[in-house]
Amino acid sequence: MDLGAPPWWPEGGGPAVPPGHRPPHSFPPHPFPAETPSETTTRLRPVRSRSPFRAAAAAVCVVLGLGLIGGAATGSWLISDSSADPAAHSTYTVGRAAWHSVPVDTLFPRTLKGDGAGPGGSDRVWTRLAVAPDSGCAAALDPLLLKTVRPAGCARLLRATYTDATSSSVTTVGLLFTEGDTDAMRALSTRFTDQHLDARTDLMPRAYPVKGTPAAGFGDRQRASWSVHVLTEVPVVVFAVSGFADGRAVTTPQPAARAMVRNATTAAAQAGLGHEAKGLADLVERGLRRTVAERTEKPE
């Protein structure tokens, strides 16, 4: 890239030096003449003629060398060709790496629109307030929830907090990327379903408060409704937890599935916080599935 002449040089491109003078710290003229177009390669020394035996040996070495290089190149091509390795396209391989290979704005879009995601089929729009630094699970999950997901392992945890269009509710959405294989994720999903673990208040995810925003006071006591879904197609647990933006404490939190039931009378249900948690969790999960599917497709 041509950066141009230094700012202290005149327009002609060279230093302004009076004839017969050399500026301080300059180097003397190069002691060798400049290369001419016909001297652009290294001069070779005369080589004595070789015997037929040495020539044949050299030819064999060349053939062997070319064979090795060709084999290495072919092997490298096969390794780099993702279609040659089915594991490279596994949804588990791609999904587990998504926490650092997929842009954060793809995993947690700045704005999410939930058509029909609110109470009575009303539309919802959520705006992202902040994304938490990626972390392990110990600081972001209650001890009992951490113990429950431990059989699948915790590779990384990502979280973001959103608010609704009226800034009256706040919701933290999380993606827990596990270390488990298909069997481990299926076992975890079965346990959550059979034992109704997604409805236990002692297994609620933690909220991510954001200073200077409607979620500034969003802590453990402000959690009102939540949703936890263990995926089996990719090694991820998707969760969301919602609360009031005014920081009020909630004494009777309710899982999203129950808070969304018609005629539910809890504060969380009447405020639509079950729809907030479930709606945001579903949208983030859908985006993750779509992204992993696109990255898993093999070239034809």
Side-chain angles (χ1 to χ4, degrees), residues 40 48 51 114 130 134 148 158 165-166 187-189 236 238 268 278 285:
T40 56
R48 293 178 297 177
S51 66
D134 62 273
T148 304
L158 303 182
T166 63
L188 184 61
S189 176
V236 177
V238 183
K278 186 66 165 58
E285 176 184 327

Side-chain angles (χ1 to χ4, degrees), residues 35-47:
E35 285 185 329
T36 61
S38 61
E39 296 177 339
T40 56
T41 60
T42 305
R43 295 180 182 271
L44 302 178
R45 295 178 298 171
V47 179

Side-chain angles (χ1 to χ4, degrees), residues 138 141-154 176 178-180 184 188 191:
L141 300 180
D142 281 345
L144 190 55
L145 180 57
L146 178 63
K147 180 180 179 180
T148 304
V149 300
R150 183 170 291 140
C154 175
L176 192 166
T178 77
E179 300 169 342
L188 184 61
R191 186 182 178 195

Side-chain angles (χ1 to χ4, degrees), residues 100-117:
H100 63 80
S101 64
V102 178
V104 67
D105 286 347
T106 300
L107 295 175
F108 300 120
R110 295 178 182 272
T111 301
L112 281 169
K113 297 180 179 180
D115 296 335

Side-chain angles (χ1 to χ4, degrees), residues 248-273:
R248 77 182 74 171
V250 178
T251 57
T252 56
Q254 191 173 35
R258 295 178 184 173
M260 294 171 64
V261 173
R262 186 185 297 272
N263 299 324
T265 59
T266 62
Q270 293 184 346
L273 294 182

Side-chain angles (χ1 to χ4, degrees):
M1 180 173 63
D2 183 10
L3 298 179
W8 60 84
W9 283 12
E11 184 177 357
V17 181
H21 291 78
R22 194 171 69 212
H25 308 296
S26 64
F27 294 94
H30 198 282
F32 305 105
E35 285 185 329
T36 61
S38 61
E39 296 177 339
T40 56
T41 60
T42 305
R43 295 180 182 271
L44 302 178
R45 295 178 298 171
V47 179
R48 293 178 297 177
S49 60
R50 296 178 178 175
S51 66
F53 175 77
R54 294 181 62 189
V60 171
C61 291
V62 169
V63 172
L64 291 176
L66 290 175
L68 291 173
I69 293 174
T74 302
S76 176
W77 177 78
L78 287 175
I79 292 174
S80 62
D81 181 10
S82 55
S83 64
D85 183 8
H89 290 283
S90 163
T91 55
Y92 269 59
T93 301
V94 175
R96 185 172 289 113
W99 73 268
H100 63 80
S101 64
V102 178
V104 67
D105 286 347
T106 300
L107 295 175
F108 300 120
R110 295 178 182 272
T111 301
L112 281 169
K113 297 180 179 180
D115 296 335
S122 60
D123 296 337
R124 279 289 194 264
V125 178
W126 294 283
T127 301
R128 194 181 75 195
L129 297 176
V131 177
D134 62 273
S135 67
C137 293
L141 300 180
D142 281 345
L144 190 55
L145 180 57
L146 178 63
K147 180 180 179 180
T148 304
V149 300
R150 183 170 291 140
C154 175
R156 215 64 183 163
L157 181 65
L158 303 182
R159 295 182 297 166
T161 295
Y162 289 79
T163 187
D164 69 326
T166 63
S167 296
S168 60
S169 67
V170 288
T171 305
T172 294
V173 188
L175 294 172
L176 192 166
F177 294 84
T178 77
E179 300 169 342
D181 56 12
T182 305
D183 292 338
M185 294 305 294
R186 288 177 178 172
L188 184 61
S189 176
T190 299
R191 186 182 178 195
F192 262 82
T193 301
D194 292 348
Q195 300 179 21
H196 305 288
L197 301 184
D198 56 346
R200 289 178 48 168
T201 56
D202 54 355
L203 292 178
M204 270 195 299
R206 281 182 174 168
Y208 171 57
V210 184
K211 293 181 180 180
T213 73
F218 191 25
D220 289 349
R221 297 180 60 195
Q222 284 70 39
R223 295 177 292 181
S225 189
W226 74 98
S227 171
V228 179
H229 187 199
V230 179
L231 308 186
T232 55
E233 298 86 354
V234 290
V236 177
V237 178
V238 183
F239 65 83
V241 57
S242 60
F244 294 98
D246 59 10
R248 77 182 74 171
V250 178
T251 57
T252 56
Q254 191 173 35
R258 295 178 184 173
M260 294 171 64
V261 173
R262 186 185 297 272
N263 299 324
T265 59
T266 62
Q270 293 184 346
L273 294 182
H275 290 81
E276 300 290 311
K278 186 66 165 58
L280 270 168
D282 286 350
L283 286 174
V284 170
E285 176 184 327
R286 197 177 307 161
L288 174 67
R289 289 178 181 273
R290 182 172 57 249
T291 299
V292 171
E294 291 172 351
R295 292 178 173 231
T296 306
E297 291 178 357
K298 298 181 181 180
E300 302 196 9

